[in-house]
Amino acid sequence: AQTVTQSQPEMSVQEAETVTLSCTYDTSESDYYLFWYKQPPSRQMILVIRQEAYKQQNATENRFSVNFQKAAKSFSLKISDSQLGDAAMYFCASWGYSGGGADGLTFGKGTHLIIQP
Amino acid sequence: DTEVTQTPKHLVMGMTNKKSLKCEQHMGHRAMYWYKQKAKKPPELMFVYSYEKLSINESVPSRFSPECPNSSLLNLHLHALQPEDSALYLCASSQVDRRANYGYTFGSGTRLTVV
């Protein structure tokens, strides 16, 4: 089964500074995609950034970028110039067999990001 | 329209009640999903509909029953639920490729409380 591991339950950063959230994964797939989702208190899961595993280049979306290390199966999210609106739960995710009979996006346990003004 | 709409946003039901959650999307996605999310936990996959074919996570109890009347609409029928079923229920959809090349689009969820 697919596994996604986030080892930081909570992170805190000063507004305007940079923070990195860690994620490791395990997959038997040869072609796969990785995602970071944000879930603010409004509850909706919002796609922040996606990475195609066969691409060497790290994905970037404005202030959000990833450090994708395929051999190490590591997929960290860097948020630059942190803003108060970035405060949320962040989930790393990958598609794969969840082990229960249905396959779909599998999520890590999440990192609660706090932005200090 | 780039949204997944879930109704109702909040639901309180007794253990003997029958209720339904509704999910709708008009993005032309042919795969739809139900997730259950407990507080401070990640979403857990319950059901997948892809081209109207159902896949079930074996750990989901039979008191949850999904229905896909058409490719844009997904329902979750609830019957004889237990208090531990109280959670946020998220619906999502994706393009044809179930490997989620482009990720899933999520609704804002239904907060369910079973009393």
Side-chain angles (χ1 to χ4, degrees):
Chain A
Q2 188 87 351
T3 59
V4 180
T5 303
Q6 293 179 251
S7 58
Q8 303 156 313
E10 187 172 280
M11 293 282 286
S12 181
V13 64
Q14 290 291 127
E15 193 177 3
E17 294 190 345
T18 295
V19 63
T20 298
L21 309 183
S22 302
C23 173
T24 59
Y25 63 94
D26 188 17
T27 180
S28 58
E29 304 286 336
S30 57
D31 182 18
Y32 55 93
Y33 298 78
L34 299 165
F35 308 89
W36 278 98
Y37 276 86
K38 167 185 177 181
Q39 188 177 38
S42 66
R43 311 177 323 201
Q44 186 160 12
M45 298 282 281
I46 300 165
L47 179 62
V48 174
I49 197 165
R50 64 187 279 269
Q51 174 75 42
E52 300 173 72
Y54 67 88
K55 284 191 174 180
Q56 299 286 343
Q57 187 173 7
N58 290 326
T60 299
E61 289 286 343
N62 300 315
R63 298 182 295 105
F64 298 88
S65 61
V66 302
N67 182 4
F68 175 50
Q69 303 288 328
K70 190 172 183 178
K73 294 186 177 178
S74 170
F75 180 59
S76 60
L77 174 70
K78 185 172 85 170
I79 306 174
S80 304
D81 186 25
S82 298
Q83 301 176 359
L84 294 177
D86 295 333
M89 282 292 289
Y90 285 81
F91 293 99
C92 179
S94 179
W95 183 92
Y97 178 59
S98 65
D103 45 19
L105 273 187
T106 299
F107 293 88
K109 290 186 176 181
T111 297
H112 180 210
L113 179 63
I114 299 168
I115 310 295
Q116 305 279 6
Chain B
D1 188 350
T2 58
E3 289 187 345
V4 174
T5 303
Q6 289 188 244
T7 55
K9 293 193 181 304
H10 301 274
L11 178 63
V12 179
M13 61 183 290
M15 289 187 284
T16 59
N17 291 160
K18 287 185 180 181
K19 297 286 185 182
S20 296
L21 309 184
K22 179 180 174 181
C23 175
E24 195 165 8
Q25 58 88 15
H26 297 287
M27 294 176 282
H29 290 173
R30 296 305 298 270
M32 296 184 75
Y33 314 84
W34 280 113
Y35 280 84
K36 173 183 178 181
Q37 186 179 25
K38 301 283 279 185
K40 301 188 185 300
K41 298 290 187 182
E44 295 178 345
L45 185 63
M46 301 176 70
F47 302 104
V48 178
Y49 267 99
S50 180
Y51 283 104
E52 289 88 50
K53 180 182 175 183
L54 173 64
S55 297
I56 302 172
N57 187 320
E58 294 162 355
S59 66
V60 177
S62 60
R63 53 187 182 266
F64 294 91
S65 175
E67 178 197 16
C68 190
N70 58 60
S71 60
S72 299
L73 187 58
L74 183 65
N75 298 320
L76 184 62
H77 302 299
L78 315 172
H79 174 53
L81 295 194
Q82 301 297 309
E84 60 263 29
D85 297 321
S86 298
L88 180 68
Y89 289 84
L90 292 165
C91 175
S93 68
S94 71
Q95 294 185 10
V96 169
D97 189 336
R98 287 173 57 199
R99 289 177 177 268
N101 294 10
Y102 297 96
Y104 293 178
T105 301
F106 283 84
S108 57
T110 294
R111 175 74 66 190
L112 174 67
T113 303
V114 181
V115 297

